[in-house]
Amino acid sequence: MNSQDPDASISISYFCSCVPQEIIMAAGLAPKRMIPRARPSEADAYIHPNTCPYVKSLLASALASRESKTAGVVFANSCDGMRRLHDIWREYAKTVPSLFIEVPKKSDPDSIEFFGSELRRLADNVETEFSGSRVTVAGLNDAIRECNHIRRLMAEVFRLQRDADSGVSGLSVFNLCLEGAESGGPSLMERLQKFVSEPREREPGGDKPRILLTGNVVHRPDLITLVEDLGGRLVALDTCIGARHYETLVEENSADPLTALARRYLQKPSCARMEGIEQRFQYLKRMASDSAADGVIFSAVKFCEHYAYEASLMRTTFEEAGIPFLYLENDYEWSGVEQARTRVEAFLTIVGGRRSE
Amino acid sequence: MFKTMLEMMEQQTASLLSEREDARALWYNEWARLFLKAYEPGKKVVYTSIYAFPMELLAAFDVVPFDFEIAGAMMATTDLGVPTMKEAEDRGYPMDICSFHRAALGASFNGYFPDPAILLTTSYYCAGKSKASEILSLFHGKEHFLLYVPAEINKDSIRYVENQLRQIVNKLETITGQKLDEDRLKAAVRSANRARSSRLKLLDLLKHRPCPWGGNQLIGFSINGLLFNGTEIMERLNEAFAREAQERIKTGKVRPEKHRIYWFAWLPTYKSNLFDILKENGVSIPLCETFRVYWDEIDEDHPFEGLALKCLKNPFVGPASRRVQSIDKIVDEYGIDGTLLFATPACRQANSAYRVLKDSLAKFGIPFLMLNMDIGDPRGYSPEQTKTRLEGFIELMDQHG
C-alpha cells in the first residue's frame, strides 16, 4: 500500500493540478500541494512585478526558506509564469531541488502518448533526484486506487454541497479542499469519510442565492466567507483545488498505469491553460445546471493570461444562458476583499431578486 | 481600414523602389503585397505566428500566411491602434492582455482583417497568442490547431512535434485540396537554408564598428521578416540588407557610435522617443536576440525532423538560460557594452525571469536595463520617464568605459 502519512514521510511539493500525485506516492513520498503564504511582493527583486501573484508568492516563500520541510518540488509547464518560476527557482532557490515536467495543452492521442513519456521520466527522476523508492506498476496501481478513493469521497462531498438542505456550507467544503491539497493518505481519507457519513441536521437553505465559484487559485477563504456571510450559498467550486481537481477517475489496475495517468490528467476538466474553450464552458454550464446555481462568480488572480483572455467569452456564455455573472480579479492575498464586498452584495441582491421572481 | 493601410504601404514603397534600391522599402513592399493577397477572393488564408511557426511548410502549399498579431502591431503604428484596442476592451478583454492582441481582436471584431481558412498557432512564444488564436477561431467558425512544442529536447519531444507537423500537412491538404508536393517542400527547405546562410553573413557584417545597420529596423526585421521564410523573398531581403550594410562600410557612411547594446525582446510600434534618445547618445544596436541563428541547417530529405528540431531549439521555448546561451561570445564578438530588455507588461514569458538575464550579464560586468514600456498601447507612455531611464543607463555604460 502506498498510503503515506504526510507528517511522517518525506514530502514533495507540487504547484499545479497537472502533476500526478500518484507517481510521487508510488515512490514512497508524500505529495503536497504548496499553498504559499508569503506576500507576493517579497519576490519582486527576482521576478517581474507583473507576474501572477501566486507564482510570486511561491517564489517569496522559497526564498524565505519557508518550505524547508519540502525535500523537492515538481514543476509543471502549466503556464508562462510557472515556466519562468522554474528558471528562477533553479538559480536562486537551489536548496530545494526541483524537477520539471512538460504538459501539453491538448489531449489528443499524440499528446497523451508524449505526456506518458514525460511521466516515465518523472517516475525515474523522482527515484534518483528525490531518493524515492523505485516506481513500479504495482506501486502506481496502489496509488491510483488510493487517489481514486479520495476522488470518490470528494465527489460525495460536492454532492452534499449541492444539496440545498444538507447543512453543508461552502466554507466547510472549501476547507476540506484546502486540506486535501496539503495532505493525503489515511488521515485525509478518514477525515473525508467522517465528513460524508456524519449525521448532520438538515437546514433548509432553499432561499439563499446559490453561487458557483469558478477560477484559478483561490487558496484563501475570504471570498467564500464573504459570499456566505452576505447570505449566499456556495454550491459549486471549480478552482485549482476544487471539484475539477478531483473529477475523472484514473483507470485502475492497468498494465500501463503511466499512460492511464497521462490520459486522465490531460482529459479531466481543466483550467483555462488547456485548449478547448467551448468544452470548458460546456462543463461549467453543466456544473451550474447540476448545482442549480443562480449566479456565477469568476475569480482569477491578476496577470493570469489564460483566464484573462477567456473572461469576456465566459461572461457572454453565462449571460446568454440567463445566469448572472460577476468577474472579480484578486491579488492572491485578497487584499481588496472589502472592495469586493460591495460588488458581491449587489450581485447577490440581483441573483436573489431573480430567484424570488 | 487595414486593407487601405496596406495599399498605401504598398504604393509608397513601390514608388520609392522605382527610384532606388532600398532594403527596408523592399521588405515593407513584399510584406504589404503578401498581406494584401489575403484579401483576394478564393485565397486560402492561414492565420499563424509568422515568427515562430515553421513557415517552410506553408511555402509548400498555395496558401497566404497572415498573422493577426503582426497585423495588430501594424494597426498600433497608426491612430487606429487605440480605437481597435478599445473595441476589444469594451467587449471585456482586460488591459492586462497584450496590446497587440487587443488591437487584433478589436480589428477582427470590426471586420478589418481577412477571413482565415484555418488558424495554425504555436505554443511559443507566449500563451496569450494561442489563446487569442482560439478566440478568433471561434469568432470566425474555423478550425484552430495548436502546434505544441515542449520545453525539452529529447527523442519523445522530437517525435511529438514531428507528428504534429504531419497533422498540419494533412490539414493544409484538406483546405487547399492539394497533396503535399515533396519536391516543393524540399525546395522551401533549401531556400530556408540559403536564407540561413545569408543571415549568418549579415550577422557577420553587424560585428563591424561602427555598426553598419541595426537598431529598430533590425529588431523589426528579425521578427516580421520570417514571414517569408521558405521563399526566395527571404533570401532576397537578407541579401538586400547585407548589400546595404556592405555599402555603408565601404563608403564610410556609418553613424559614429559610443556604445553597442544587445537587445532582448521586442520594440514599441507607436511613436516614442526611445530610439531617438539612443541615436542621439551614440548607442547602436548591432544585435538582438531574435536575430540569432539558433537552428541548424535542415536536411531536405528529412524535413519534418529538421523543422521539429528548429521549433524545439527556439530560445523562447525552453528555459530562460537558453536566451543567454553563448552570451560571452556575443559580448566579445559584437563588442557589447550594455543590454536592454524591452519589457512590455503583458509579456510574462519574456520578462518574468529578467533576473536570470541580468545576472548572466553581470558576470561580464555588462549593465542591464529592463525598460518597462508597452509594446503597442501609447496610453500609459511617458517620454520623460523613458528619457530618464535611458540616460541613467547610458551614464552607467559611460562609467564602465
Side-chain angles (χ1 to χ4, degrees):
Chain A
M1 193 65 185
N2 286 94
S3 294
Q4 296 299 317
D5 175 353
D7 295 328
S9 308
I10 299 171
S11 106
I12 299 297
S13 293
Y14 63 96
F15 309 147
C16 174
S17 284
C18 300
V19 175
Q21 304 149 67
E22 289 90 339
I23 294 175
I24 300 169
M25 292 162 69
L29 304 165
K32 181 182 171 184
R33 181 170 179 133
M34 195 188 282
I35 307 287
R37 267 95 184 171
R39 301 209 66 185
S41 57
E42 288 171 22
D44 278 351
Y46 289 86
I47 194 163
H48 195 279
N50 272 20
T51 311
C52 147
Y54 170 56
V55 163
K56 284 166 62 176
S57 181
L58 285 166
L59 180 61
S61 204
L63 291 170
S65 302
R66 289 180 201 170
E67 306 301 334
S68 52
K69 286 182 187 166
T70 297
V73 293
V74 180
F75 280 83
N77 190 3
S78 10
C79 59
D80 289 339
M82 209 49 98
R83 175 161 65 109
R84 293 306 180 212
L85 173 64
H86 183 237
D87 292 336
I88 299 165
W89 192 287
R90 289 197 309 183
E91 293 289 328
Y92 307 104
K94 284 179 190 165
T95 48
V96 183
S98 62
L99 294 175
F100 180 86
I101 56 164
E102 185 55 73
V103 190
K105 288 185 173 179
K106 47 190 190 175
S107 56
D108 60 305
D110 278 348
S111 300
I112 291 169
E113 186 189 335
F114 169 72
F115 189 43
S117 71
E118 278 294 288
L119 297 186
R120 240 158 246 127
R121 233 182 304 281
L122 175 66
D124 291 343
N125 289 337
V126 163
E127 181 189 334
T128 53
E129 304 294 318
F130 295 160
S131 311
S133 49
R134 197 162 73 83
V135 176
T136 62
V137 169
L140 282 167
N141 276 319
D142 283 348
I144 287 168
R145 276 192 298 277
E146 188 173 320
C147 289
N148 276 351
H149 184 58
I150 288 172
R151 290 179 185 120
R152 289 189 187 95
L153 286 168
M154 284 305 292
E156 181 57 16
V157 169
F158 296 129
R159 192 195 63 74
L160 287 170
Q161 184 189 12
R162 290 193 295 271
D163 179 348
D165 305 325
S166 65
V168 168
S169 70
L171 184 62
S172 63
V173 172
F174 170 79
N175 285 332
L176 270 184
C177 290
L178 203 57
E179 217 176 307
E182 291 194 286
S183 64
S187 58
L188 177 67
M189 285 191 274
E190 200 179 308
R191 173 96 177 83
L192 292 174
Q193 192 62 58
K194 194 173 161 211
F195 187 91
V196 297
S197 54
E198 73 188 354
R200 52 172 67 84
E201 271 186 40
R202 289 181 69 78
E203 291 172 18
D207 293 337
K208 291 182 176 177
R210 295 168 67 83
I211 301 299
L212 182 161
L213 174 60
T214 181
N216 46 28
V217 278
V218 179
H219 289 168
R220 289 176 54 123
D222 309 59
L223 178 61
I224 293 134
T225 306
L226 189 62
V227 167
E228 300 206 322
D229 281 355
L230 290 170
R233 190 168 138 60
L234 187 82
V235 291
L237 184 64
D238 169 62
T239 64
C240 293
I241 60 167
R244 68 169 180 256
H245 178 67
Y246 296 98
E247 280 254 356
T248 313
L249 300 177
V250 183
E251 180 193 347
E252 293 183 5
N253 306 319
S254 166
D256 183 3
L258 288 171
T259 299
L261 285 168
R263 190 174 301 114
R264 184 267 172 185
Y265 277 84
L266 289 188
Q267 290 184 340
K268 76 182 178 69
S270 75
C271 74
R273 79 168 292 277
M274 293 291 280
E275 267 204 317
I277 295 174
E278 280 187 313
Q279 293 90 315
R280 193 158 34 258
F281 290 175
Q282 273 165 17
Y283 166 76
L284 280 174
K285 281 204 290 189
R286 200 165 54 244
M287 190 181 229
S289 160
D290 291 349
S291 60
D294 302 307
V296 171
I297 295 179
F298 168 46
S299 179
V301 286
K302 204 165 168 55
F303 306 136
C304 175
E305 288 182 322
H306 292 124
Y307 274 100
Y309 278 80
E310 286 192 5
S312 168
L313 286 178
M314 197 189 290
R315 175 186 293 280
T316 309
T317 301
F318 280 111
E319 287 179 351
E320 281 175 2
I323 302 173
F325 180 89
L326 176 66
Y327 176 17
L328 288 175
E329 202 174 53
N330 71 80
D331 62 359
Y332 185 69
E333 302 177 281
W334 282 97
S335 57
V337 70
E338 283 311 309
Q339 284 102 307
R341 176 181 293 274
T342 318
R343 296 185 63 198
V344 172
E345 201 164 12
F347 183 69
L348 290 175
T349 306
I350 294 167
V351 172
R354 290 166 59 106
R355 190 174 169 78
S356 54
E357 275 171 13
Chain B
M1 202 77 90
F2 183 64
K3 191 181 172 196
T4 310
M5 192 179 146
L6 292 171
E7 283 164 347
M8 284 168 62
M9 186 169 150
E10 198 266 329
Q11 284 158 17
Q12 284 167 5
T13 51
S15 149
L16 204 151
L17 287 168
S18 67
E19 292 164 19
R20 61 180 162 90
E21 270 193 28
D22 184 297
R24 185 168 68 160
L26 181 65
W27 163 34
Y28 280 20
N29 185 264
E30 293 290 356
W31 183 1
R33 284 179 348 130
L34 185 59
F35 273 18
L36 276 170
K37 268 191 199 160
Y39 289 90
E40 289 174 16
K43 292 289 179 200
K44 302 291 181 191
V45 179
V46 177
Y47 276 23
T48 191
S49 271
I50 57 164
Y51 51 84
F53 191 82
M55 297 299 285
E56 295 87 338
L57 273 191
L58 298 188
F61 286 92
D62 295 333
V63 294
V64 181
F66 184 83
D67 188 324
F68 62 80
E69 186 184 35
I70 297 298
M74 291 168 83
M75 300 285 293
T77 62
T78 70
D79 291 344
L80 291 170
V82 172
T84 48
M85 286 174 215
K86 283 179 85 169
E87 179 66 38
E89 290 154 20
D90 290 347
R91 290 174 187 238
Y93 291 91
M95 288 182 79
D96 280 341
I97 72 173
C98 175
S99 46
F100 283 177
H101 298 170
R102 270 181 281 134
L105 289 167
S108 298
F109 300 147
N110 283 340
Y112 296 162
F113 291 169
D115 291 339
I118 191 168
L119 298 93
L120 305 174
T121 193
T122 52
S123 54
Y124 62 105
Y125 298 171
C126 71
K129 178 81 177 266
S130 55
K131 221 26 152 180
S133 179
E134 195 180 351
I135 289 167
L136 287 178
S137 86
L138 293 173
F139 177 73
H140 288 288
K142 290 286 159 56
E143 189 183 0
H144 157 88
F145 185 92
L146 172 68
L147 171 63
Y148 193 87
V149 180
E152 286 180 22
I153 306 173
N154 53 48
K155 67 172 173 45
D156 296 309
S157 61
I158 296 168
R159 193 176 60 211
Y160 178 45
V161 177
E162 225 183 303
N163 287 346
Q164 292 178 79
L165 295 178
R166 289 182 199 281
Q167 283 182 51
I168 286 168
V169 163
N170 291 342
K171 289 182 188 303
L172 290 169
E173 286 179 337
T174 306
I175 63 153
T176 58
Q178 292 173 274
K179 284 301 284 178
L180 171 68
D181 177 344
E182 289 188 7
D183 289 338
R184 191 168 163 187
L185 179 58
K186 278 183 184 184
V189 165
R190 268 199 302 278
S191 167
N193 284 341
R194 285 193 298 268
R196 180 183 174 275
S197 300
S198 52
R199 187 188 268 223
L200 286 170
K201 192 168 117 192
L202 195 43
L203 277 166
D204 216 38
L205 289 167
L206 295 177
K207 292 174 188 165
H208 188 272
R209 303 192 71 143
C211 185
W213 183 55
N216 52 345
Q217 255 191 58
L218 166 73
I219 305 162
F221 181 66
S222 71
I223 301 163
N224 305 344
L226 293 172
L227 168 63
F228 304 104
N229 212 19
T231 72
E232 56 82 32
I233 300 170
M234 182 85 259
E235 299 174 57
R236 266 201 290 133
L237 290 176
N238 283 351
E239 280 154 16
F241 279 115
R243 259 198 315 278
E244 281 191 3
Q246 275 164 331
E247 185 63 17
R248 283 191 200 120
I249 293 170
K250 206 171 108 189
T251 56
K253 281 186 188 162
V254 185
R255 205 179 310 123
E257 67 187 8
K258 199 169 155 197
H259 296 293
R260 293 163 69 89
I261 64 171
Y262 181 67
W263 192 273
F264 286 107
W266 341 118
L267 76 172
T269 51
Y270 52 89
K271 192 162 170 44
S272 77
N273 57 354
L274 169 55
F275 293 101
D276 292 338
I277 295 170
L278 293 175
K279 203 188 290 178
E280 284 159 16
N281 287 277
V283 178
S284 65
I285 307 165
L287 187 59
C288 57
E289 64 174 331
T290 41
F291 203 59
R292 292 178 67 179
V293 173
Y294 56 83
W295 68 98
D296 302 314
E297 272 206 0
I298 295 167
D299 179 353
E300 63 179 81
D301 291 324
H302 300 95
F304 290 98
E305 189 187 348
L307 291 172
L309 273 167
K310 186 179 174 187
C311 296
L312 283 155
K313 286 184 177 176
N314 190 297
F316 291 98
V317 173
S321 53
R322 269 198 210 169
R323 295 173 68 188
V324 281
Q325 211 165 28
S326 312
I327 195 76
D328 51 339
K329 216 171 144 206
I330 286 170
V331 166
D332 184 42
E333 289 181 357
Y334 289 83
I336 299 298
D337 48 8
T339 51
L340 189 150
L341 166 63
F342 178 80
T344 187
C347 201
R348 274 110 210 166
Q349 67 86 16
N351 308 338
S352 288
Y354 78 90
R355 185 65 190 263
V356 174
L357 309 182
K358 184 181 175 181
D359 288 355
S360 301
L361 269 311
K363 284 178 198 159
F364 307 101
I366 305 288
F368 173 94
L369 173 68
M370 178 165 69
L371 187 66
N372 288 302
M373 182 174 164
D374 199 280
I375 194 167
D377 190 344
R379 284 173 286 181
Y381 173 60
S382 159
E384 295 76 20
Q385 204 177 39
T386 306
K387 190 166 186 276
T388 309
R389 300 235 40 218
L390 286 176
E391 284 176 351
F393 176 56
I394 293 163
E395 268 174 37
L396 202 59
M397 288 194 288
D398 287 342
Q399 284 164 20
H400 273 72

